[in-house]
Amino acid sequence: MYPTLVFSAALFTSLLGTAQAQTLVNGQIFTNGLAIVDAPAPNSPMHAGSVTQVAIDISGDGKLDQSASIPGSDKSTRFDSLEIYLVSYQTKLNLTVSSGPGLLTQEQGSTVKHWNYNVSTCIPAGPYNLTFYEASHINDQPYFSITSYPVTVMNDHPADACSNGTNPLQSFPQLSSPPPHSPWLDGTSIATQPLPTATGSNSASAIVATGAPLAFALLGLLSLLSL
């Protein structure tokens, strides 16, 4: 599979940082970009053979026009792309949850996007990171953010090794260029807390930046731009 994310040269050349930690506010996960994850909650179980629904608020809690979520929007603050992967360094798996524009373009008119992920019986039990790759613009400045948080796959009877939707497992941390903080928390005094990663750390700086085919595209284009 190949990522469908499209970035500007300015964004690629700005990829100087590494993945940062996300913020939990009143049960919502404020990612390092524009997306706000409503579900699943951190440390939620994902049962093999069943469906896990991912719910993402793309309105910034009502602060962002709905048209800004459609790739190609001309809004100064907008989504360019949003992809999700399920990754574990313990089980050495990197699985596609959602790639391409489908997540952002479905449910037009809704401020919350829902994605039903079929948790295959081939996925071994263990700790995983649900990882969001977001390309966006905030006040016409391009950003690329990576946000991960822990979930647990439950599977008493795993089937054969997974073959569909698998991607190379990447080393970490990966390069990213997130905004310095969530634009939706700017200037607020809301009590926040860091989330643990799938490694069990509760440090906000210990986020595990997980891999996807997108990483290959980023590093490859960075190499081309340096020629």
Side-chain angles (χ1 to χ4, degrees), residues 15 34 37 44 48 64 83 167 175 187 197 201 222:
L15 298 181
L34 298 177
V37 183
S44 291
L64 190 64
E83 297 190 346
N167 309 290
L175 293 176
T197 71
S201 170
L222 279 169

Side-chain angles (χ1 to χ4, degrees), residues 25 43 49 72-73 85 96 116 120-121 123 149 154 179 186 191 196:
V25 181
N43 296 313
S73 170
Y85 296 84
T96 300
N116 292 325
S120 174
T121 56
I123 303 176
Y149 69 89
M154 313 294 288
D186 188 21

Side-chain angles (χ1 to χ4, degrees), residues 22 29 40-49 52 84-97 117-132 147-167 169 172 195-201 206-211:
Q22 64 292 304
I29 300 167
N43 296 313
S44 291
M46 299 174 65
H47 297 277
T52 292
I84 312 171
Y85 296 84
L86 183 68
V87 185
S88 172
Y89 286 92
Q90 285 79 4
T91 64
K92 302 186 185 306
L93 279 176
N94 179 1
L95 301 166
T96 300
V97 175
Y117 178 58
N118 292 307
V119 185
S120 174
T121 56
C122 72
I123 303 176
Y128 287 76
N129 276 353
L130 197 61
T131 304
F132 297 78
T147 304
S148 298
Y149 69 89
V151 293
T152 302
V153 170
M154 313 294 288
N155 190 354
D156 294 332
H157 304 287
D160 294 336
C162 296
S163 57
N164 294 325
T166 60
N167 309 290
L169 190 65
F172 64 92
L195 294 174
T197 71
T199 60
S201 170
I207 189 69
V208 177
T210 52

Side-chain angles (χ1 to χ4, degrees), residues 20-40:
Q20 299 176 343
Q22 64 292 304
T23 304
L24 183 64
V25 181
N26 297 326
Q28 291 183 302
I29 300 167
F30 283 71
T31 69
N32 299 320
L34 298 177
I36 303 173
V37 183
D38 292 334

